[in-house]
Amino acid sequence: MTSSREQPISCADSTPAALIAYQDAPHLRLGHSYCESRHPSLCSRGKTRATAWKFEMLAKPGLAAIAAEEAQSARLVVIAAAGIGELPASVKSWIETWCASSTPAPATLAVVLSENPAAPPAHWPDVRFLKSQAARGPRRLVIHVAGHRLVDK
């Protein structure tokens, strides 16, 4: 589980405005930073609620189901990781479950990476997967690498 120090965005409302799935603690901070700087109306500290799910937690079916349910109502879902190599199978499965919702809310799926890969986005293994999942509902896909927007569909 994450510590309270790792989840600084909160308020009394139990419906998350944002959900951050992250690789490790530095990438949780990256996800929060992205959320607060790019979506201040959703992620200003003390005004809205964001939930955070470490990739390892999404490998547990019960927790993944809870995270998918939270993502259903979130307006922003952030995947924060080092690079765009192959996403863990459990994270892909969780994204598929969320995107398969019969009543999806309009949302942005933002992939935020800390490392700038050598290959262009079209050659990243998971870009086609992410695009196909975002297209399953009223979702927009945004990919930011080292602070630069590379894909916006």
Side-chain angles (χ1 to χ4, degrees):
M1 294 301 243
T2 60
S3 71
S4 60
R5 184 173 66 97
E6 293 180 334
Q7 296 186 29
I9 300 174
S10 64
C11 75
D13 183 4
S14 64
T15 302
L19 183 144
I20 301 168
Y22 63 97
Q23 182 175 343
D24 52 27
H27 290 94
L28 173 60
R29 288 188 291 278
L30 178 68
H32 278 293
S33 176
Y34 169 83
C35 187
E36 290 172 349
S37 67
R38 304 285 180 162
H39 299 274
S41 66
L42 295 179
C43 302
S44 297
R45 290 178 190 255
K47 292 184 181 174
T48 57
R49 182 169 179 265
T51 57
W53 293 88
K54 192 169 185 178
F55 286 177
E56 294 167 3
M57 296 167 67
L58 299 175
K60 298 177 179 28
L63 294 177
I66 294 168
E69 187 175 313
E70 287 181 356
Q72 304 281 350
S73 59
R75 291 176 45 206
L76 172 66
V77 174
V78 177
I79 309 293
I84 193 85
E86 187 72 21
L87 284 171
S90 58
V91 174
K92 284 179 151 181
S93 177
W94 169 74
I95 291 170
E96 288 175 330
T97 300
W98 164 51
C99 291
S101 165
S102 59
T103 57
T108 296
L109 170 57
V111 180
V112 183
L113 307 174
S114 60
E115 298 172 4
N116 197 355
H123 297 314
W124 297 345
D126 289 320
V127 168
R128 261 182 264 144
F129 167 76
L130 293 166
K131 284 181 179 180
S132 71
Q133 293 306 307
R136 293 174 71 182
R139 294 178 190 88
R140 180 174 152 231
L141 173 64
V142 178
I143 299 179
H144 279 261
V145 176
H148 302 285
R149 182 181 294 186
L150 297 183
V151 175
D152 191 346
K153 299 280 178 188

